[in-house]
Amino acid sequence: MSDDLRKFGGAIPDLYERGMAPVIFAPAAVAVAARVAKLGPGRVLETACGTGQLTRRLAASLPAGTAITATDLSPAMLERATTGLPEGSGVALRPADAQALPFADASFDLVLCQFGVMFFPGPRPRDAGGGPGARFRREVSVHHLGRS
């Protein structure tokens, strides 16, 4: 992953949270968290969590005891993500590159990424193959805001 993305520090996390989150990230997080809650996973991994918009929604909407691990490449974004997490949520925030995750296979019931895939270098998932032997199978769900 690009070293430039690791440097998403300084004012960037606050700009994300105050400027982009209310318009882009928060509405999508509401929709994604509702879909995840219907699935009822026990162990969730969110990659490229940014400032934690989806992380906070997952923590608030999933049952107590659900293990939520949220990762991001930028320590500054992770630091901002701690703000607003429900007390006692047990969310684990960890620095990690979404393309080189430090977790064993089958560690999670559900792996999701709300907006970070667009930053991943190299071949897009559709080009990388997903047949037998793939590390994990990916399901893409498109949500049109304003439609049920």
Side-chain angles (χ1 to χ4, degrees), residues 45-144:
L45 172 63
E46 178 190 3
T47 64
C49 72
T51 60
Q53 283 292 316
L54 178 56
T55 312
R56 289 189 291 278
R57 293 288 182 176
L58 291 170
S61 64
L62 294 174
T66 302
I68 302 170
T69 301
T71 66
D72 198 274
L73 195 58
S74 166
M77 295 293 254
L78 284 172
E79 179 63 32
R80 183 63 173 89
T82 63
T83 305
L85 279 173
E87 192 169 325
S89 65
V91 172
L93 295 168
R94 292 185 55 176
D97 184 333
Q99 292 189 295
L101 293 169
F103 307 107
D105 289 349
S107 293
F108 301 95
D109 303 318
L110 180 73
V111 177
L112 63 139
C113 181
Q114 182 169 268
F115 279 103
V117 174
M118 64 189 150
F119 294 113
F120 298 176
R124 297 291 178 239
R126 69 176 179 273
D127 302 327
R135 182 153 185 223
F136 60 89
R137 185 173 170 190
R138 178 184 152 116
E139 180 178 319
V140 177
S141 174
V142 177
H143 176 73
H144 299 279

Side-chain angles (χ1 to χ4, degrees), residues 1-34:
M1 189 68 70
S2 167
D3 281 337
D4 291 338
L5 294 177
R6 291 181 208 280
K7 297 175 188 169
F8 266 43
I12 293 174
D14 285 331
L15 291 172
Y16 259 65
E17 195 64 17
R18 287 184 291 123
M20 296 173 71
V23 178
I24 300 170
F25 304 135
V30 170
V32 172

Side-chain angles (χ1 to χ4, degrees), residues 31-49:
V32 172
R35 289 181 180 195
V36 169
K38 288 179 185 177
L39 296 172
R43 300 167 300 163
V44 177
L45 172 63
E46 178 190 3
T47 64
C49 72

